[in-house]
Amino acid sequence: MPQTLIKNATLLTMCARNGSKPFQGDILIEDGRISAVGQNLVAAPDATLIDGQNRLVMPGLVNAHAHSGETFFRGRYEGMPLELWLLYAYPLLMGPVVDERLLYLRSLLLAMESLRSGVTTICDDFFDPPAHDLSRQSAVFRAYEDAGIRANVSSAAMNVHALDALPYAREVMPLHLQQKLDFGPPMSTDAYMDYCRSAFASLHGRAGRLNFMIAPSAPQRCTPDLLQACHALAVDMGVPLHTHILETKTQAVTGHEVYGKSLIGYMSDLGVLSRNTTIAHSVWVSDKDIATMGEAGCSVAHNAISNQKLGAGIAPIRRLMNAGITVGLGTDGMSSNDTARIFDVMRVAGLIHSVSGPDYDQWVRADEILTMATIGGARSAMLENVTGSLEVGKAADLLILDLTTLSFTPLNDIAKHLVYAENGSSIEAVMIAGQIVVHDGRLQTIDEAAILAEIRELVPAHLAAHAELETRNAVFHSAMAEIHRRATSKDIGMNRYAGNQSA
């Protein structure tokens, strides 16, 4: 691979030395990696030269938490808390498995929007019931390989009955409805470990940028032995244990009702909180939970938009950061956010935490949000030695933005422009491992028009079938609504909602 030299650009490296402080310089790229960062760099005669005048070069963004399984449900739902929304986006009464071509297309669609909006790394925890299948997992890997994106991928695992993972469910739900959910014996820990080892052997490291991660859905949805086996294998393989903890108040109540302690305390007692543990959401964590997470070295994927759309609450991000917890930014799924744009999440995160209280010294700042969107997200994905900052030896995963656009005119503070003014429209090029995958708004790796046309042709029938599933699962709506009402009305000694709950 020939060299690429970006000359005379404004660099935002997000490295430990420079952080979000921009400076003028050059970047030399060889064999997909950054070989030099500095001024007046010289390249080989056959190098590709990119003029960086009036251009910003920064690390590609990291989506620390996404669900490609929701990609076809963009714009479908609103006005439902998580426990109700799950009924329709992830039906308890399931239909036939999604066709493998659709599985590929929905993953590819997520990658396409991600790349166009500056995301170079995605952590995809897709859900593919009723079983884990290597061929289907491979279809997702193939989509990301074709798109050219970097990704951690896994299909979520759970082996606890859905009703036993919720407080009051057995009490509230009529027996005849409970009987509809008797699907036979759950997946065993040994079976899931066998699947994970096969995935590591056949998929992990694919294309040099795709990894398999381990994703037990949530502590209340998995047996203790499954959680412990997942953690042990994640540590052994050096990958994240990617899970969901304390997204909603209902989940906070679940911990105390089912285990007599918080879900973080339960995870800690099981010995499955560590540097490898990445927690999506972490909204309803207590100060004790936060201290435990900090001591364990966990990471959090902060889903600032999804948390609001599903009414989960406002995560205590400043307190998490003060405890030394690594924070990345995630979009969550396309039906609890409706875009794959991390720039949107950055803006919302920059705004929502300013209503956390009048002590403005504790508000989250633009440079901190940029850290979450880049190197923080990379750390949460256990890829900080590969991507997340522009440093010698790291993969050349970067964005080139035009500084003459409306978003940067007039130019004041680049970090603040990126968080509060930019939406991805100023991106001129996206590079992953030294390869330009987006140039002048066009994907270079696939025929975007053909893929979108195929989706428009095939997906309406899929959505019509899903609408029938929604109708079937509506029988559980009133029971789930009652579970939500009981849990959210319970005093648990903390509040993560904004304003007066009765208003």
Side-chain angles (χ1 to χ4, degrees), residues 178-484:
Q178 294 187 39
Q179 290 171 341
K180 288 179 177 286
L181 302 176
D182 184 6
F183 302 128
M187 174 184 66
S188 72
T189 294
D190 287 345
Y192 185 62
M193 288 299 100
D194 286 345
Y195 169 78
C196 288
R197 291 188 186 97
S198 296
F200 279 120
S202 61
L203 299 174
H204 190 61
R206 186 166 174 171
R209 51 183 163 77
L210 304 178
N211 291 323
F212 181 75
M213 65 180 182
I214 302 177
S217 176
Q220 72 275 17
R221 299 174 191 145
C222 299
T223 56
D225 62 315
L226 178 60
L227 289 169
Q228 290 171 326
C230 285
H231 182 260
L233 186 55
V235 170
D236 184 51
M237 296 301 299
V239 301
L241 180 142
H242 193 99
T243 189
H244 304 71
I245 307 181
L246 291 171
E247 179 176 358
T248 66
K249 187 175 181 181
T250 299
Q251 292 174 6
V253 171
T254 299
H256 292 282
E257 289 287 329
V258 177
Y259 307 110
K261 63 190 71 173
S262 80
L263 292 175
I264 291 292
Y266 173 64
M267 292 280 284
S268 180
D269 288 350
L270 291 177
V272 296
L273 292 182
S274 72
R275 166 68 183 92
N276 294 72
T277 309
T278 295
I279 298 167
H281 302 292
S282 191
V283 176
W284 289 84
V285 284
S286 66
D287 289 342
K288 181 179 179 182
D289 292 334
I290 292 170
T292 299
M293 293 160 64
E295 291 167 4
C298 297
S299 297
V300 164
H302 177 36
N303 303 278
I305 292 178
S306 172
N307 290 345
Q308 310 323 307
K309 188 180 183 190
L310 295 179
I314 302 174
I317 291 300
R318 173 58 66 192
R319 277 182 272 178
L320 291 164
M321 293 166 61
N322 287 347
I325 295 165
T326 295
V327 179
L329 296 180
T331 58
D332 212 359
M334 284 284 209
S335 80
S336 63
N337 181 317
D338 302 284
T339 86
R341 296 190 296 266
I342 286 294
F343 274 110
D344 292 358
V345 182
M346 289 162 62
R347 178 174 168 81
V348 170
L351 299 173
I352 193 69
H353 298 293
S354 297
V355 300
S356 59
D359 185 357
Y360 46 85
D361 287 336
Q362 295 299 304
W363 295 355
V364 183
R365 309 290 173 166
D367 62 329
E368 295 171 316
I369 292 165
L370 275 175
T371 298
M372 296 176 198
T374 55
I375 190 64
R379 288 190 186 113
S380 75
M382 300 194 72
L383 294 173
E384 71 273 21
N385 294 325
V386 176
T387 192
S389 61
L390 304 182
E391 299 182 70
V392 172
K394 286 195 173 184
D397 295 355
L398 56 83
L399 313 180
I400 302 176
L401 290 89
D402 183 353
L403 290 176
T404 68
T405 62
L406 289 172
S407 296
F408 295 97
T409 304
L411 187 59
N412 286 287
D413 182 290
I414 282 179
K416 295 181 181 66
H417 280 275
L418 287 169
V419 171
Y420 298 112
E422 177 57 37
N423 61 6
S425 61
S426 301
I427 294 173
E428 210 167 63
V430 177
M431 181 181 286
I432 298 176
Q435 294 284 346
I436 292 178
V437 294
V438 178
H439 185 259
D440 289 338
R442 295 180 61 87
L443 289 162
Q444 303 296 295
T445 51
I446 57 172
D447 185 341
E448 185 175 5
I451 292 297
L452 293 178
E454 185 178 4
I455 289 171
R456 286 191 294 270
E457 178 184 355
L458 296 180
V459 171
H462 168 67
L463 294 179
H466 187 77
E468 295 179 5
L469 284 182
E470 291 170 333
T471 299
R472 289 178 59 201
N473 281 270
V475 297
F476 304 110
H477 189 107
S478 61
M480 290 298 182
E482 176 62 14
I483 292 167
H484 172 75

Side-chain angles (χ1 to χ4, degrees), residues 59-93:
L61 304 177
V62 178
N63 188 342
H65 182 67
H67 297 291
S68 64
E70 299 172 30
T71 307
F72 294 154
F73 299 155
R74 184 203 306 268
R76 193 170 182 91
Y77 306 113
E78 68 175 355
M80 291 186 288
L82 176 78
E83 286 74 26
L84 283 172
W85 167 83
L86 284 170
L87 271 183
Y88 303 102
Y90 295 87
L92 291 173
L93 298 176

